[in-house]
Amino acid sequence: MDLKLHEQLSFYYDSWDSWQVNLTVTDIDESGQEDGNNLPRVIDGAGFGILEDFGGVGRLGEIASLVKRDGVTAHRSELNWSGQWVPDNFTFDFYDQDDLNFRLKRLVQAYRQVYENHLNFGAKMAAILDREYYPGAHQKEEEPAPSVEVDLPLVVQQLKKADGSNITDGKLARINNQLIAAFIEDLKKNGKLSEKTVKRYHDELTFYLIGYLTPRKATLFGWIATDIGELYFKGCSDDEIKRLRAALNKLNKFLVTQGVVTPQWAREFKQGLKNSIDVGHDYAKETFSDNDDGLW
């Protein structure tokens, strides 16, 4: 598309909500020095942006005024009704340029994979698409200092109490980080697994406990935790669910050896994962088997 300086491009998104996006060419870099690896890139902006399936500009303006007046808690059911979760400290003025660029690069890859290669993208990419991860989750987490010991019994107690409560996303994420840190440190001390495998366990648990469960006010000790079969409907593949299942079972085995959960609890959790996967897989296959877009 050969647009000239100051020319404008308008496009419509979502025939139901009818978003109209206007783009204006304000500058053209002809130096040839721009690194293609840094494109596309957001260089400035303001505000959170649209909420999917929300009713368009009019409805978004109404809910923005209500949230500004009453706060998020009073209107959480309205904000979450379309399935797009927002953090407790959400405001429509929220703007995180690093987060936008983190999502932008990955979404380009995701849409190319779906529309050009006719493949489905996994649960992690779906979570990025829906912003269903704790803000800042794309940033590298700092591990606790070696001299700091994680009080594992206290962490487990806090997670049990937090499930389904009004705890803030940030506080719940920090508690989950302590749980993951204690588990990863034990794996490293054991020395039987490769660095790559340890990192995979870390990434799987961070995605699920912090990125997926935390925005839902859920923890490892709530009934939602075993319902990973639901991830088939987020675009998760068999391999992704297999890796997540292995990470959760490995974590629970660690908790048993530390004496903070019972073997019976771990067995029931393991069985719950299996049941959820079996049901989710069969139902998803039945639902999408007649789909002619090649995504199943």
Side-chain angles (χ1 to χ4, degrees):
M1 187 174 295
D2 187 20
L3 291 177
K4 303 296 190 296
L5 192 64
H6 305 308
E7 285 189 334
Q8 188 176 80
L9 168 69
S10 297
F11 68 92
Y12 292 88
Y13 168 69
D14 191 334
S15 60
W16 291 102
D17 285 356
S18 299
W19 300 102
Q20 179 178 336
V21 180
N22 299 319
L23 302 176
T24 303
V25 179
T26 60
D27 190 19
I28 298 177
D29 184 355
E30 298 179 339
S31 67
Q33 298 179 357
E34 181 67 57
D35 185 355
N37 292 325
N38 292 327
L39 301 175
R41 184 173 78 252
V42 177
I43 60 174
D44 196 12
F48 180 79
I50 69 173
L51 294 180
E52 296 285 355
D53 300 322
F54 204 72
V57 175
R59 181 54 182 155
L60 189 64
E62 291 176 6
I63 197 66
S65 298
L66 293 173
V67 168
K68 184 175 182 179
R69 184 190 69 190
D70 307 324
V72 171
T73 303
H75 300 283
R76 176 163 291 284
S77 61
E78 296 166 273
L79 287 167
N80 292 342
W81 83 271
S82 66
Q84 180 168 316
W85 293 76
V86 297
D88 293 323
N89 60 348
F90 172 82
T91 71
F92 282 94
D93 296 326
F94 177 81
Y95 176 75
D96 186 337
Q97 190 162 300
D98 290 336
D99 181 70
L100 286 174
N101 283 313
F102 166 78
R103 296 177 67 244
L104 183 59
K105 281 190 176 182
R106 285 154 182 81
L107 292 179
V108 170
Q109 297 169 6
Y111 286 126
R112 181 178 293 118
Q113 185 170 337
V114 172
Y115 293 107
E116 293 183 9
N117 300 330
H118 305 292
L119 298 172
N120 203 356
F121 52 84
K124 292 180 182 178
M125 194 62 75
I128 293 174
L129 176 65
D130 293 335
R131 298 189 185 188
E132 291 187 344
Y133 57 93
Y134 176 69
H138 60 284
Q139 299 172 358
K140 184 178 180 180
E141 296 287 345
E142 294 184 3
E143 295 183 1
S147 59
V148 176
E149 293 291 335
V150 175
D151 188 342
L152 195 57
L154 177 60
V155 168
V156 170
Q157 180 183 1
Q158 290 174 329
L159 288 174
K160 289 180 178 180
K161 184 178 180 180
D163 187 73
S165 71
N166 291 323
I167 188 173
T168 64
D169 293 347
K171 185 174 181 179
L172 183 52
R174 286 192 292 274
I175 298 172
N176 273 313
N177 267 326
Q178 292 181 61
L179 175 67
I180 295 170
F183 170 58
I184 295 300
E185 183 64 25
D186 184 77
L187 292 180
K188 290 179 178 179
K189 287 180 179 179
N190 186 278
K192 293 183 179 180
L193 299 177
S194 68
E195 183 177 340
K196 182 178 180 180
T197 300
V198 172
K199 184 180 185 302
R200 186 176 73 241
Y201 281 143
H202 174 276
D203 292 347
E204 293 294 339
L205 294 174
T206 298
F207 160 70
Y208 191 64
L209 299 182
I210 298 177
Y212 190 76
L213 292 184
T214 289
R216 291 162 174 75
K217 307 299 183 186
T219 75
L220 185 69
F221 301 97
W223 67 270
I224 295 179
T226 59
D227 195 20
I228 63 175
E230 178 69 20
L231 292 177
Y232 279 113
F233 298 93
K234 292 289 185 180
C236 193
S237 67
D238 285 328
D239 287 341
E240 286 178 313
I241 288 185
K242 181 180 179 181
R243 290 194 295 268
L244 176 58
R245 178 185 184 181
L248 288 169
N249 284 330
K250 190 73 173 179
L251 171 63
N252 291 340
K253 185 177 180 179
F254 161 72
L255 296 178
V256 170
T257 62
Q258 296 299 310
V260 292
V261 301
T262 66
Q264 177 65 25
W265 178 87
R267 285 194 294 269
E268 291 177 356
F269 192 100
K270 186 176 183 178
Q271 185 62 45
L273 292 178
K274 182 181 184 304
N275 293 342
S276 178
I277 291 172
D278 290 343
V279 172
H281 180 274
D282 291 345
Y283 187 73
K285 187 174 183 179
E286 179 181 346
T287 302
F288 299 120
S289 60
D290 294 330
N291 194 336
D292 59 1
D293 59 10
L295 295 182
W296 179 256

